[in-house]
Amino acid sequence: MHAVVPALLGAALVVTGCSVVGEDGGSDQPASDRVVLVTHDSFALPKQLVARFEEQSGYRLVVRGSGDAGTLTNKLVLTQDDPLGDVAFGVDNTFASRALDAGVFAPYDAALPDGADRYRLPGDDEHALTPVDNGNVCVNVDDTWFADHHLAAPTDLDDLADPAYKDLFVTPGAATSSPGMAFLLATIAAYGEDGWQDYWSRLMANGTELVDGWSQAYEVDFTQGGGKGDRPIVLSYDSSPAFTVSGGRSSTSALLDTCFRQVEYAGVLAGAENPTGAEALVDFLLTPEVQAALPDSMYVFPVDASVPLPRQWSRFARQPTDPLTVAPADISAHRDEWLREWSDVTSR
């Protein structure tokens, strides 16, 4: 889904201990002896957990990175008749309906840990997608920058279109980024189908910068991202402030009234060469060991309610009590229409 700390992002983008195979790569190993995982580029698990899966299952894990979650979904849909691997991880609730409608995944009703049932995708009656982690896409602010400039930080979506914050906000675009799509859906949830276009017109008139993906927005353009950026407002995650802590305080905050919940899923790909191995990997992602590792390795919240969070998370990674939501059926029905309208508004 996402990494939120520049110093840690490099590690997150390397799948430690896995055999990484690009789309043009290959393997002489028989398909029955390996499991090919197709995922987004921020997938990461500790080396010891990968080794544990390989020892317990008898399969070698091969990982094929496929860009952002949106790009991943598009590739899975385009290659559904000749799947890129056995199992996919990282399709989220903003894109999942498209993958289900296209028949990308095979049914697999995995046994869910405590509390995970609340994250099932509505409408997925065959249980083709298994919830693995969750988090919220939220606007984040650089509290230090606002204190230094003697300006009150914004608190909600309306503030982002206020002239007081002109040229201060950077966000990945909805057409190229999973968090960007989540932010578009947040504005649709907040302003309704008749009002979100006007909101985006005001947002763009206020100097909002659109970039392709989260890494560009946070790592390069955000003032706290380590890239000497000049934008103190960025679209990121509710977990982000847990990774900007120094001296017992976080220098950033997530605006909890702007948040849209994301759930990431794993699923067995229809037509997989090794569906048994794929099911084993889905099950492994739900084990307490993997669930406990998710915050530090992929910066997301586990779906297992019994797993304790790291100390910094309990203090600084606050989650919204009432995040903005759009029904998956509505996303499926209107996604293309909304994206066309969004593109029209943001290109004026």
Side-chain angles (χ1 to χ4, degrees), residues 226-248:
K228 299 182 179 179
D230 59 2
R231 302 257 170 170
I233 310 173
V234 66
L235 186 73
S236 195
Y237 300 95
D238 52 359
S239 58
S240 300
F243 296 95
T244 56
V245 175
S246 178

Side-chain angles (χ1 to χ4, degrees), residues 155-174:
T155 61
D156 56 24
L157 292 173
D158 278 343
D159 284 347
L160 301 183
D162 189 311
Y165 306 105
K166 187 175 179 63
D167 298 329
L168 299 185
F169 179 42
V170 58
T171 179

Side-chain angles (χ1 to χ4, degrees), residues 120-181:
R120 282 201 183 274
L121 185 74
D124 181 14
D125 298 331
E126 293 187 331
H127 296 166
L129 289 172
T130 299
V132 174
D133 65 66
N134 77 99
N136 290 273
V137 172
C138 309
V139 175
N140 277 228
V141 297
D142 179 353
D143 294 314
T144 302
W145 188 96
F146 283 100
D148 290 345
H149 288 76
H150 307 289
L151 178 64
T155 61
D156 56 24
L157 292 173
D158 278 343
D159 284 347
L160 301 183
D162 189 311
Y165 306 105
K166 187 175 179 63
D167 298 329
L168 299 185
F169 179 42
V170 58
T171 179
T176 56
S177 163
S178 173
M181 183 66 190

Side-chain angles (χ1 to χ4, degrees), residues 206-282:
N206 207 39
T208 293
E209 180 181 4
L210 292 179
V211 296
D212 284 343
W214 176 89
S215 295
Q216 170 71 30
Y218 197 99
E219 280 198 288
V220 178
D221 295 314
F222 185 43
T223 49
Q224 282 284 331
K228 299 182 179 179
D230 59 2
R231 302 257 170 170
I233 310 173
V234 66
L235 186 73
S236 195
Y237 300 95
D238 52 359
S239 58
S240 300
F243 296 95
T244 56
V245 175
S246 178
R249 296 182 62 185
S250 178
S251 58
T252 64
S253 298
L255 307 185
L256 299 185
D257 288 338
T258 69
C259 299
F260 186 92
R261 175 163 289 166
Q262 279 188 309
V263 180
E264 286 191 310
Y265 301 94
V268 178
L269 292 173
E273 292 186 346
N274 187 1
T276 302
E279 292 175 359
L281 183 58
V282 172

